[in-house]
Amino acid sequence: MFENPRDRQVLLASGWFGARGASFQSDLLACAVAKSFDEGEALYNYGDPANGVFAVLEGSVQITAPADDGQDFVVHRQGGGFWIGDLALLAESNRLVSVVATQKTRALFFPSRRLDRLVRDNPEYVRDFYALSHENMQTALRIMANLAVTGAEKRLVLRLLHLDEGASKSDGWIVVSQDELAEMVAVSLPTLHRKLHNLVELGLIELGYGRVRLKDRRKLIAACQC
């Protein structure tokens, strides 16, 4: 299953999977199928029938949801250790979001028929899957709460801190375009440019082409608390 020994470490480091019992971890991984996705390729799209759960091993995915005007809204980005697809599966309903690889991404796919059999043979595992939904709901609520914060620069800092936690980045860079970041923070592109450059001048972040790097998390956190 794990040709790369780092893959298991990535999964164990994630809050949900790392907190599960050894039997559940072993039984769940026995259901996995290795998958690879190119940049721009969808793991699944809004409205698709639920067919399983995904765990990102390497790379990054972007989550979008449709607004009432029909436009897709960038909700979040996450890298290695991220699990997604549980909600529609448990509800036996269609997908509420689209999940697309933002770079070459490796993942584990857990087909619904295997998970159904796993839970049928081990009914107590239902609680483990609901724990995953709880964790993903916590992330969604955090995103909504941060969007409700007054002040564009503070919303930007909060989103950068959140993205930095979940990014796959050995070199410290968060891969995200300014167009996408503006959507995530709910500001115009000119406003985003001004706020980003304010943070650059303060020595808190560094900008690259389609990427951002945090230079001082402690000072960024302090800026949010002021």
Side-chain angles (χ1 to χ4, degrees), residues 20-198:
R20 309 275 62 82
S23 295
F24 176 84
Q25 291 177 352
S26 177
D27 290 346
L28 180 59
L29 291 178
C31 299
V33 178
K35 294 274 190 178
S36 294
F37 299 90
D38 293 326
E39 181 180 351
E41 187 176 357
L43 282 67
Y44 56 80
N45 289 302
Y46 172 82
D48 285 350
N51 63 342
V53 173
F54 292 85
V56 178
L57 295 173
E58 183 178 43
S60 180
V61 295
Q62 176 172 282
I63 303 169
T64 63
D68 288 345
D69 62 2
Q71 297 295 312
D72 282 341
F73 175 75
V74 180
V75 177
H76 191 47
R77 279 197 174 195
Q78 193 96 10
F82 181 55
W83 294 74
I84 188 71
D86 50 292
L87 185 60
L89 182 71
L90 291 172
E92 297 182 339
S93 187
N94 293 341
R95 304 293 194 183
L96 297 178
V97 297
S98 297
V99 181
V100 177
T102 60
Q103 55 187 283
K104 195 165 185 62
T105 295
R106 292 188 304 108
L108 294 180
F109 174 57
F110 302 83
S112 56
R113 66 183 183 281
R114 297 187 182 184
L115 297 182
D116 288 344
R117 189 183 316 120
L118 178 65
V119 172
R120 185 173 62 248
D121 294 342
N122 304 273
E124 69 276 13
Y125 286 173
V126 169
R127 289 184 178 274
D128 292 287
F129 286 109
Y130 273 110
L132 173 58
S133 294
H134 181 274
E135 181 170 292
N136 284 339
M137 176 58 72
Q138 186 177 43
T139 297
L141 291 173
R142 180 181 177 186
I143 291 169
M144 288 189 290
N146 288 346
L147 276 173
V149 169
T150 303
E153 189 163 309
K154 189 171 183 178
R155 287 201 308 275
L156 172 59
V157 169
L158 289 170
R159 178 46 67 101
L160 289 175
L161 288 166
H162 195 177
L163 289 173
D164 186 62
E165 292 171 14
S168 293
K169 52 190 191 327
S170 58
D171 58 0
W173 288 95
I174 304 166
V175 179
V176 61
S177 74
Q178 293 192 12
D179 285 341
E180 293 161 346
L181 193 54
E183 286 186 35
M184 293 182 192
V185 184
V187 297
S188 67
L189 202 52
T191 297
L192 180 76
H193 289 163
R194 290 197 303 272
K195 301 305 180 183
L196 284 172
H197 286 287
N198 286 346

